[in-house]
mmCIF file of all heavy atoms in Angstrom:
data_model
loop_
_atom_site.group_PDB
_atom_site.id
_atom_site.type_symbol
_atom_site.label_atom_id
_atom_site.label_comp_id
_atom_site.label_asym_id
_atom_site.label_seq_id
_atom_site.Cartn_x
_atom_site.Cartn_y
_atom_site.Cartn_z
ATOM 1 N N LEU B 298 111.551 91.939 89.730
ATOM 2 C CA LEU B 298 112.389 93.076 89.345
ATOM 3 C C LEU B 298 113.863 92.643 89.412
ATOM 4 O O LEU B 298 114.244 91.914 90.358
ATOM 5 C CB LEU B 298 112.115 94.245 90.328
ATOM 6 C CG LEU B 298 112.554 95.628 90.008
ATOM 7 C CD1 LEU B 298 111.855 96.097 88.724
ATOM 8 C CD2 LEU B 298 112.134 96.585 91.191
ATOM 9 N N VAL B 299 114.714 93.089 88.488
ATOM 10 C CA VAL B 299 116.063 92.630 88.381
ATOM 11 C C VAL B 299 116.851 92.673 89.705
ATOM 12 O O VAL B 299 117.523 91.713 90.092
ATOM 13 C CB VAL B 299 116.851 93.443 87.328
ATOM 14 C CG1 VAL B 299 118.346 93.092 87.350
ATOM 15 C CG2 VAL B 299 116.319 93.128 85.905
ATOM 16 N N ILE B 300 116.688 93.775 90.457
ATOM 17 C CA ILE B 300 117.516 93.910 91.697
ATOM 18 C C ILE B 300 117.221 92.821 92.711
ATOM 19 O O ILE B 300 117.986 92.596 93.650
ATOM 20 C CB ILE B 300 117.388 95.298 92.359
ATOM 21 C CG1 ILE B 300 115.858 95.642 92.562
ATOM 22 C CG2 ILE B 300 118.084 96.368 91.628
ATOM 23 C CD1 ILE B 300 115.691 96.868 93.488
ATOM 24 N N PHE B 301 116.124 92.121 92.580
ATOM 25 C CA PHE B 301 115.744 91.107 93.576
ATOM 26 C C PHE B 301 116.027 89.676 93.094
ATOM 27 O O PHE B 301 115.927 88.717 93.836
ATOM 28 C CB PHE B 301 114.277 91.228 93.981
ATOM 29 C CG PHE B 301 113.906 92.509 94.570
ATOM 30 C CD1 PHE B 301 113.024 93.371 93.932
ATOM 31 C CD2 PHE B 301 114.459 92.900 95.826
ATOM 32 C CE1 PHE B 301 112.677 94.613 94.506
ATOM 33 C CE2 PHE B 301 114.110 94.102 96.362
ATOM 34 C CZ PHE B 301 113.211 95.003 95.725
ATOM 35 N N LYS B 302 116.327 89.551 91.823
ATOM 36 C CA LYS B 302 116.447 88.143 91.291
ATOM 37 C C LYS B 302 117.526 87.341 91.958
ATOM 38 O O LYS B 302 118.586 87.856 92.331
ATOM 39 C CB LYS B 302 116.769 88.213 89.779
ATOM 40 C CG LYS B 302 115.539 88.429 88.894
ATOM 41 C CD LYS B 302 115.881 88.297 87.416
ATOM 42 C CE LYS B 302 114.823 88.925 86.493
ATOM 43 N NZ LYS B 302 113.597 88.164 86.321
ATOM 44 N N ASN B 303 117.258 86.061 92.180
ATOM 45 C CA ASN B 303 118.205 85.098 92.730
ATOM 46 C C ASN B 303 118.687 85.525 94.163
ATOM 47 O O ASN B 303 119.783 85.144 94.610
ATOM 48 C CB ASN B 303 119.387 84.904 91.848
ATOM 49 C CG ASN B 303 118.982 84.455 90.464
ATOM 50 O OD1 ASN B 303 118.207 83.534 90.337
ATOM 51 N ND2 ASN B 303 119.427 85.150 89.425
ATOM 52 N N LYS B 304 117.856 86.223 94.848
ATOM 53 C CA LYS B 304 118.223 86.636 96.185
ATOM 54 C C LYS B 304 117.320 86.065 97.262
ATOM 55 O O LYS B 304 117.702 85.919 98.413
ATOM 56 C CB LYS B 304 118.080 88.193 96.349
ATOM 57 C CG LYS B 304 119.228 89.026 95.958
ATOM 58 C CD LYS B 304 118.845 90.481 96.307
ATOM 59 C CE LYS B 304 119.887 91.481 95.988
ATOM 60 N NZ LYS B 304 119.406 92.832 96.264
ATOM 61 N N VAL B 305 116.067 85.759 96.861
ATOM 62 C CA VAL B 305 115.032 85.431 97.892
ATOM 63 C C VAL B 305 114.863 83.920 97.920
ATOM 64 O O VAL B 305 114.528 83.284 96.930
ATOM 65 C CB VAL B 305 113.726 86.139 97.558
ATOM 66 C CG1 VAL B 305 112.701 85.867 98.657
ATOM 67 C CG2 VAL B 305 113.905 87.604 97.286
ATOM 68 N N LYS B 306 115.048 83.360 99.146
ATOM 69 C CA LYS B 306 114.923 81.892 99.262
ATOM 70 C C LYS B 306 113.409 81.539 99.356
ATOM 71 O O LYS B 306 112.653 82.212 100.092
ATOM 72 C CB LYS B 306 115.614 81.430 100.564
ATOM 73 C CG LYS B 306 117.108 81.606 100.535
ATOM 74 C CD LYS B 306 117.702 81.388 101.929
ATOM 75 C CE LYS B 306 118.565 82.565 102.364
ATOM 76 N NZ LYS B 306 118.921 82.586 103.773
ATOM 77 N N LEU B 307 113.049 80.465 98.694
ATOM 78 C CA LEU B 307 111.707 79.902 98.852
ATOM 79 C C LEU B 307 111.846 78.633 99.596
ATOM 80 O O LEU B 307 112.433 77.643 99.084
ATOM 81 C CB LEU B 307 111.075 79.678 97.442
ATOM 82 C CG LEU B 307 109.595 79.294 97.454
ATOM 83 C CD1 LEU B 307 108.744 80.457 97.922
ATOM 84 C CD2 LEU B 307 109.177 78.807 96.078
ATOM 85 N N LEU B 308 111.400 78.582 100.851
ATOM 86 C CA LEU B 308 111.716 77.470 101.744
ATOM 87 C C LEU B 308 110.411 76.754 102.238
ATOM 88 O O LEU B 308 109.379 77.378 102.419
ATOM 89 C CB LEU B 308 112.431 77.987 103.008
ATOM 90 C CG LEU B 308 113.755 78.739 102.737
ATOM 91 C CD1 LEU B 308 114.244 79.323 104.103
ATOM 92 C CD2 LEU B 308 114.761 77.793 102.131
ATOM 93 N N PRO B 309 110.559 75.447 102.444
ATOM 94 C CA PRO B 309 109.445 74.740 103.140
ATOM 95 C C PRO B 309 109.542 75.043 104.647
ATOM 96 O O PRO B 309 110.645 75.285 105.208
ATOM 97 C CB PRO B 309 109.781 73.279 102.851
ATOM 98 C CG PRO B 309 111.194 73.182 102.616
ATOM 99 C CD PRO B 309 111.668 74.536 102.081
ATOM 100 N N SER B 310 108.395 75.033 105.299
ATOM 101 C CA SER B 310 108.355 75.155 106.740
ATOM 102 C C SER B 310 109.228 74.126 107.383
ATOM 103 O O SER B 310 109.387 73.004 106.876
ATOM 104 C CB SER B 310 106.907 75.025 107.190
ATOM 105 O OG SER B 310 106.881 74.751 108.609
ATOM 106 N N GLN B 311 109.815 74.454 108.562
ATOM 107 C CA GLN B 311 110.489 73.429 109.313
ATOM 108 C C GLN B 311 109.778 73.063 110.623
ATOM 109 O O GLN B 311 110.344 72.495 111.542
ATOM 110 C CB GLN B 311 111.922 73.867 109.591
ATOM 111 C CG GLN B 311 112.864 73.610 108.401
ATOM 112 C CD GLN B 311 114.270 74.085 108.650
ATOM 113 O OE1 GLN B 311 114.759 74.173 109.780
ATOM 114 N NE2 GLN B 311 114.954 74.418 107.567
ATOM 115 N N LEU B 312 108.538 73.442 110.670
ATOM 116 C CA LEU B 312 107.723 72.982 111.807
ATOM 117 C C LEU B 312 106.907 71.800 111.392
ATOM 118 O O LEU B 312 106.246 71.865 110.394
ATOM 119 C CB LEU B 312 106.768 74.116 112.303
ATOM 120 C CG LEU B 312 107.413 75.460 112.691
ATOM 121 C CD1 LEU B 312 106.357 76.434 113.141
ATOM 122 C CD2 LEU B 312 108.402 75.256 113.857
ATOM 123 N N PRO B 313 106.980 70.674 112.182
ATOM 124 C CA PRO B 313 106.188 69.553 111.821
ATOM 125 C C PRO B 313 104.673 69.941 111.851
ATOM 126 O O PRO B 313 104.267 70.625 112.748
ATOM 127 C CB PRO B 313 106.514 68.499 112.863
ATOM 128 C CG PRO B 313 107.404 69.098 113.846
ATOM 129 C CD PRO B 313 107.733 70.523 113.335
ATOM 130 N N GLU B 314 103.932 69.533 110.830
ATOM 131 C CA GLU B 314 102.591 70.074 110.688
ATOM 132 C C GLU B 314 101.732 69.834 111.944
ATOM 133 O O GLU B 314 100.938 70.676 112.330
ATOM 134 C CB GLU B 314 101.916 69.507 109.435
ATOM 135 C CG GLU B 314 100.675 70.288 109.040
ATOM 136 C CD GLU B 314 100.305 70.162 107.593
ATOM 137 O OE1 GLU B 314 101.068 69.496 106.828
ATOM 138 O OE2 GLU B 314 99.284 70.693 107.179
ATOM 139 N N SER B 315 101.916 68.681 112.592
ATOM 140 C CA SER B 315 101.082 68.327 113.719
ATOM 141 C C SER B 315 101.410 69.270 114.924
ATOM 142 O O SER B 315 100.605 69.412 115.840
ATOM 143 C CB SER B 315 101.256 66.892 114.096
ATOM 144 O OG SER B 315 102.641 66.657 114.327
ATOM 145 N N ASN B 316 102.577 69.864 114.955
ATOM 146 C CA ASN B 316 102.974 70.660 116.101
ATOM 147 C C ASN B 316 102.973 72.168 115.802
ATOM 148 O O ASN B 316 103.108 72.979 116.735
ATOM 149 C CB ASN B 316 104.404 70.342 116.561
ATOM 150 C CG ASN B 316 104.549 68.922 117.069
ATOM 151 O OD1 ASN B 316 103.552 68.316 117.410
ATOM 152 N ND2 ASN B 316 105.768 68.443 117.154
ATOM 153 N N ALA B 317 102.824 72.542 114.535
ATOM 154 C CA ALA B 317 103.100 73.901 114.109
ATOM 155 C C ALA B 317 102.187 74.901 114.794
ATOM 156 O O ALA B 317 102.597 75.955 115.251
ATOM 157 C CB ALA B 317 102.931 74.018 112.609
ATOM 158 N N ALA B 318 100.891 74.540 114.910
ATOM 159 C CA ALA B 318 99.939 75.470 115.496
ATOM 160 C C ALA B 318 100.260 75.772 116.972
ATOM 161 O O ALA B 318 100.270 76.917 117.409
ATOM 162 C CB ALA B 318 98.546 74.961 115.352
ATOM 163 N N LEU B 319 100.600 74.680 117.722
ATOM 164 C CA LEU B 319 100.924 74.855 119.125
ATOM 165 C C LEU B 319 102.230 75.662 119.258
ATOM 166 O O LEU B 319 102.350 76.553 120.118
ATOM 167 C CB LEU B 319 101.045 73.533 119.841
ATOM 168 C CG LEU B 319 99.749 72.748 120.139
ATOM 169 C CD1 LEU B 319 100.032 71.629 121.030
ATOM 170 C CD2 LEU B 319 98.691 73.694 120.685
ATOM 171 N N LEU B 320 103.277 75.267 118.500
ATOM 172 C CA LEU B 320 104.503 75.952 118.565
ATOM 173 C C LEU B 320 104.373 77.416 118.199
ATOM 174 O O LEU B 320 104.940 78.317 118.804
ATOM 175 C CB LEU B 320 105.541 75.295 117.680
ATOM 176 C CG LEU B 320 106.032 73.905 118.100
ATOM 177 C CD1 LEU B 320 106.969 73.348 117.032
ATOM 178 C CD2 LEU B 320 106.695 74.013 119.457
ATOM 179 N N GLY B 321 103.588 77.721 117.142
ATOM 180 C CA GLY B 321 103.329 79.062 116.705
ATOM 181 C C GLY B 321 102.667 79.897 117.837
ATOM 182 O O GLY B 321 103.109 80.977 118.127
ATOM 183 N N ALA B 322 101.642 79.316 118.362
ATOM 184 C CA ALA B 322 100.928 80.046 119.477
ATOM 185 C C ALA B 322 101.843 80.297 120.623
ATOM 186 O O ALA B 322 101.968 81.425 121.147
ATOM 187 C CB ALA B 322 99.709 79.213 119.915
#
Side-chain angles (χ1 to χ4, degrees):
Chain B
L298 197 58
V299 170
I300 50 168
F301 300 116
K302 277 187 199 284
N303 303 311
K304 272 186 180 175
V305 185
K306 295 170 233 166
L307 189 69
L308 302 174
S310 163
Q311 278 178 27
L312 301 180
E314 196 156 356
S315 57
N316 295 344
L319 287 192
L320 290 176

